[in-house]
Each structure stands twice: as structure tokens, then as C-alpha cells.
Amino acid sequence: MHRISDEQRRIRIGRRHLLAPSVRSESPVAVADAVVALHATDAATVFLSACARLRAPGVAAVEACLYEDVSLVRLLSMRNTLFVVSAEAAPHVEASNARAVAAKERRNLLKHLAEDGNGLDEQWLAGTEKAALTVLTARGSATGSELSAAVPALRTKITLFPGKKQEAVQGVASRVIRVLAAEGRIRRDRPRGSWTSSQFRWTASEPRPVEEPGRAQAELALRWLRAYGPASESDLKWWTGWGLGQVRKALAAAGAEEVLLDSGATAWVAPQDVAPDPEPEPWAALLPALDPSAMGWADRGFHLPAEHRAALFDRSGNIGPTVWWNGQIIGGWAQRATGEPVWRLLTDAGRDASAAVEAEASRLAGWVGEARITPRFRTPLERELTA
């Protein structure tokens, strides 16, 4: 069985995730394809992850892909999490994950409507959705509050979990909008504020044709292996949220090949992807919270020293902003209220690493400009650096 060392895995991150300067991209779409999907729970992460991998980083290029030609698509998909993927990858992600998530969202909403006991049923929901889509089609785009003002049914309030400890009263607008977006009938348009804002306008869209789920899962597994392999079944199970049976079927259908890691464990790579990648020039990167390079594996031991975890993760297991050197996480960073990027190295990687990190911080500050970034999931080191 072919062996792939931890060092080779770190080299692959630099090259395949477009982080080494010589392999950075001109296109945000190419960046998304290189890492399969960009985390989008925090709106700023999409821009920070993309621009870290662009030769000429800038907000406008990413916005054009998201809102003008829509070559980047937001989908509620893997692990019921919001991601940005390329328009080419979107049908595979939708069929393998997003459709199931959308169906669950609709079931949950109908359940809450029924439990409220005021006669709100599937027919009521269909009428409300139709009215919302009519308004969006006529207006072109609208915020959630504008939609609620135009569609009286969206101002309806329901009681969630009646009679239980967690009982709460909530408006239906956000839940109806979430279902429509999950089903691809509406999509996020430009936010009300800057690129760091998550208060989006909404616009009508057409759902994509449905692909066969098994074929889509095989295609998604293949794309993931090309970016993150060698990796284990557990890694793919965690990243996708699939069951173990689905993971094994997808790996088999993708033609994945088994390899041996330094730890002695077995892992999987894309077909015929066992040759070493050429080592790029030394590289540093300041990657945002939930960046795909930090979120691609369940087991991050080959690039993340165990002693760094307490400083870099929040209590729910979300990773914060990280500093990288040649494929290994060596510290964390933050942005102060003044706009200044600050960082702390948790590993002494030498003067070359320190100089490269400083250059990346300057590059980041240059394109971020006046924007201020606070991660949604704050970690101990990020909080300490901004205190």
C-alpha cells in the first residue's frame, strides 16, 4: 500500500488550496472549486477565505461572483450549514445534501405550524410562499422586513414548543424565508450593509434540475478527495454529514484508492492520486474563522498541534482565525477596533516565518481597508488579541 507522509499532506494544502503565492488564483470561482466549498455562516469568512487565495485580493471580484453573474452560489447543505460553492458544483451539492436539508426544514416548519393550533397548515404555507414570491418577482429584491410589510401572512406569530420549558413566540417570516432559500426558490442578494453584513436582501430564483443523489454523492466525494485527500472515512463523514454507509458507497463509486498515513492508519485518495506534489515556495497565510483548510478534516492532527486547540477553538468546536506556515497552524490572529491586524505565534517557526506572516498581515490590511471584522464564533485567543 502506498504511504503518504504528513509532510506531503501539508505540501498538498499549500498547492491544492491555492495558498502558496505561486499558485494563487485570479478567480474567486476557481478558489471555491479548489476547496470544494467556502463556509458562509459568517458572511465575512467567504471574502476572507477567497481573498487569501487570490493574487489580487479585493471585495468587488467576490461580490461580482455572488450577486452579478451568480457564479458563486450559497446553499444550506453539508451538516445543515451555509456554504458558498461554484455554480458548476452546486447541482452535486444540492442533490447530495441540500435537498435533504430543505425537506427537513419544510417538515419542521409544518410541524411547528400544526403545534401552534391556529389552523396554519400546508395550504396556508403554500399561499404565503406564493405571495412572497410574487412580491419578490415584482420588486426584484427585498429585505425580510420589507417582505413582511408587503405580505401580511409573514407577520403571523406562532408559539414554538407550547407547554414546554423552551416555549417561545416567534414570527414565521424568517422560517418561511429559510425554507424558500433552502429549496432554491429564492437566493441571497446584496446585503443591506457592507460585505461583512449578514442582513441580506432576497431575490427570486429558479431551482436547479434534480440530479440522482448517489451519483451526486460520488462526484462530491471525488472533488473532496482531490482537495483534502488523503483522508479517512471519518473525515468525509464529518465533513458531509452523511451516514457511514453513504460515505462508503460514495468512496467506492468515486474509485477512491486506499493509502497508509504516518500514523499507521489507512486513508483514501482520489484515483491515481498517490504521487507527491511538488513542494511550493515557503508560504504563510492568515485564514479566517471556519476557513475550509481548517475545517476539511475531523482529525486535524497532521497540521494542528494538539496544544494549540484550547486557544484556537470555541466551546462548540468552531475554529477561529488562524496563522499558517507551510501547511501547519502556528498561531492565531485578530483585527483590533482600529483596523490593525494582530497575531500571536504559538509555535516558534523562525525569522522567515515571522517575516512572511507580517507580510500577509500587511496584504490583508491593504484590501480590507475600513471594514471591521469580528468572527461570529469567538475563540479565547481572538478575544485576548482584541482586548
Side-chain angles (χ1 to χ4, degrees):
M1 188 183 298
H2 193 91
R3 178 185 288 272
I4 296 182
S5 69
D6 287 350
E7 178 59 25
Q8 263 299 313
R9 296 180 78 184
R10 292 191 287 268
I11 287 171
R12 287 184 174 210
I13 292 176
R15 294 192 68 86
R16 301 190 182 191
H17 292 199
L18 307 182
L19 289 165
S22 63
V23 297
R24 286 174 182 160
S25 178
E26 303 288 346
S27 163
V29 176
V31 168
D33 275 334
V35 295
V36 188
L38 298 166
H39 277 258
T41 304
D42 194 331
T45 295
V46 176
F47 291 83
L48 292 165
S49 290
C51 287
R53 296 164 168 88
L54 291 175
R55 288 178 186 162
V59 171
V62 182
E63 287 184 325
C65 295
L66 287 168
Y67 309 123
E68 294 174 18
D69 60 25
V70 199
S71 52
L72 290 177
V73 180
R74 281 187 173 91
L75 289 174
L76 189 64
S77 50
M78 286 75 72
R79 306 189 308 281
N80 203 27
T81 299
L82 194 63
F83 285 90
V84 164
V85 301
S86 72
E88 179 187 347
H92 311 308
V93 174
E94 186 156 29
S96 62
N97 284 81
R99 284 299 171 100
V101 170
K104 184 177 180 180
E105 290 289 331
R106 178 168 290 278
R107 287 195 304 271
N108 286 342
L109 176 55
L110 287 170
K111 179 184 176 184
H112 288 313
L113 293 177
E115 288 175 347
D116 185 64
N118 287 321
L120 305 179
D121 56 12
E122 193 167 1
Q123 185 176 354
W124 177 90
L125 178 57
T128 303
E129 291 171 331
K130 183 179 179 180
L133 289 170
T134 299
V135 170
L136 280 180
T137 301
R139 292 191 177 191
S141 69
T143 63
S145 59
E146 288 169 345
L147 265 181
S148 294
V151 181
L154 288 176
R155 299 197 291 273
T156 303
K157 294 186 182 297
I158 59 174
T159 301
L160 302 179
F161 310 109
K164 298 181 180 179
K165 184 178 181 180
Q166 63 267 45
E167 178 178 317
V169 176
Q170 186 181 79
V172 300
S174 62
R175 288 181 171 267
V176 173
I177 288 171
R178 183 178 174 90
V179 168
L180 289 172
E183 293 177 348
R185 295 199 280 166
I186 65 175
R187 63 173 176 82
R188 289 164 178 80
D189 203 5
R190 290 183 181 272
R192 291 182 61 188
S194 74
W195 56 274
T196 64
S197 172
S198 294
Q199 295 184 355
F200 293 99
R201 296 177 177 88
W202 298 91
T203 189
S205 63
E206 289 294 326
R208 280 166 287 277
V210 179
E211 188 175 345
E212 195 279 314
R215 189 181 304 115
Q217 288 177 344
E219 175 63 27
L220 185 60
L222 181 60
R223 288 170 178 255
W224 180 82
L225 285 173
R226 287 171 179 160
Y228 299 96
S232 68
E233 289 179 347
S234 297
D235 291 327
L236 182 56
K237 181 178 182 292
W238 176 82
W239 189 86
T240 57
W242 298 339
L244 186 57
Q246 292 174 300
V247 166
R248 288 174 174 169
K249 285 181 181 178
L251 289 172
E257 296 183 15
E258 204 168 9
V259 295
L260 193 65
L261 302 178
D262 277 354
S263 64
T266 57
W268 299 91
V269 295
Q272 301 180 342
D273 189 23
V274 294
D277 283 29
E279 186 170 359
E281 73 278 26
W283 61 273
L286 272 63
L287 300 183
L290 302 179
D291 183 84
S293 293
M295 296 289 290
W297 304 266
D299 181 1
R300 304 174 177 94
F302 73 99
H303 67 67
L304 173 64
E307 61 269 23
H308 293 356
R309 292 187 65 93
L312 297 175
F313 286 77
D314 71 4
R315 292 180 179 178
S316 299
N318 300 301
I319 195 167
T322 49
V323 176
W324 293 66
W325 174 244
N326 291 340
Q328 190 167 20
I329 295 175
I330 63 169
W333 67 277
Q335 186 193 41
R336 287 183 174 156
T338 59
E340 175 192 8
V342 289
W343 61 94
R344 180 178 301 160
L345 302 187
L346 303 174
T347 298
D348 183 3
R351 274 188 289 181
D352 288 348
S354 295
V357 170
E358 187 167 354
E360 284 301 304
S362 177
R363 181 174 182 264
L364 173 69
W367 72 263
V368 165
E370 298 299 315
R372 296 294 177 264
I373 303 153
T374 303
R376 179 171 297 186
F377 306 109
R378 304 195 68 186
T379 55
L381 181 56
E382 188 272 334
R383 288 180 181 276
E384 188 177 339
L385 290 172
T386 55

